[in-house]
Amino acid sequence: MDSWFFVISGAMPRSAIMIRVMFCGMARGTDEVSEPMYYVLTALLDGPLHGHAIMKIVGELSGGRVRPSVGTLYGILERLGDRGLITVDREEKVNGRDRRYFRISESGQSAVEAEARRMHEAAALVMERTSFA
């Protein structure tokens, strides 16, 4: 069974509450979306990006908590591609180096939206039971 815990920052309006979800013990080859995968898919919602740009945006979106190494990022991209959640958009040479751009697929957008809904519903359970207003 997966382990979940939520850290919810208070002292801010409900619309600005930051929910931090840590995913632990997820098996590979499942339909689960890990936290790094979630941020990669979220970064790609704005359009195709190359690896370095994805790493930078994932760090920004996560407040610096998720900073995959190059090897880890390309492993994530490979798994997302294998699951049909992203595709290669194009490849180009920049300063003599190959640069591959990735884009989110329709199923990838559906998956990240479903995960966002799931996290929102899970956070609502805590907010309804506490003085979180």
Side-chain angles (χ1 to χ4, degrees):
M1 176 176 247
D2 294 333
S3 301
W4 304 89
F5 71 88
F6 297 88
V7 177
I8 303 180
S9 304
M12 59 182 72
R14 185 177 214 144
S15 62
I17 294 170
M18 294 176 52
I19 302 165
R20 181 175 173 180
V21 180
M22 301 298 291
F23 302 84
C24 304
M26 271 191 207
R28 288 187 183 202
T30 68
D31 286 336
E32 300 281 347
V33 177
S34 68
E35 186 176 26
M37 287 178 170
Y38 178 82
Y39 283 112
V40 168
L41 291 170
T42 301
L44 292 173
L45 287 172
D46 293 330
L49 296 168
H50 58 84
H52 181 73
I54 294 170
M55 285 176 36
K56 181 179 179 210
I57 293 170
V58 164
E60 291 169 1
L61 291 172
S62 70
R65 285 187 336 274
V66 178
R67 293 198 267 180
S69 67
V70 172
T72 300
L73 175 66
Y74 280 93
I76 291 167
L77 293 170
E78 183 177 341
R79 286 191 298 282
L80 290 172
D82 289 347
R83 290 170 53 185
L85 301 179
I86 65 170
T87 60
V88 174
D89 183 70
R90 68 185 183 279
E91 294 183 33
E92 62 186 27
K93 275 211 183 294
V94 176
N95 296 325
R97 298 181 66 169
D98 292 330
R99 184 176 282 180
R100 182 177 290 169
Y101 287 77
F102 300 88
R103 67 178 168 80
I104 194 167
S105 66
E106 285 182 30
S107 59
Q109 183 164 341
S110 295
V112 75
E113 288 171 356
E115 184 63 13
R117 272 191 300 280
R118 188 201 61 74
M119 289 190 297
H120 178 77
E121 290 166 2
L125 295 172
V126 173
M127 289 186 262
E128 292 166 358
R129 288 167 172 76
T130 65
S131 59
F132 237 175

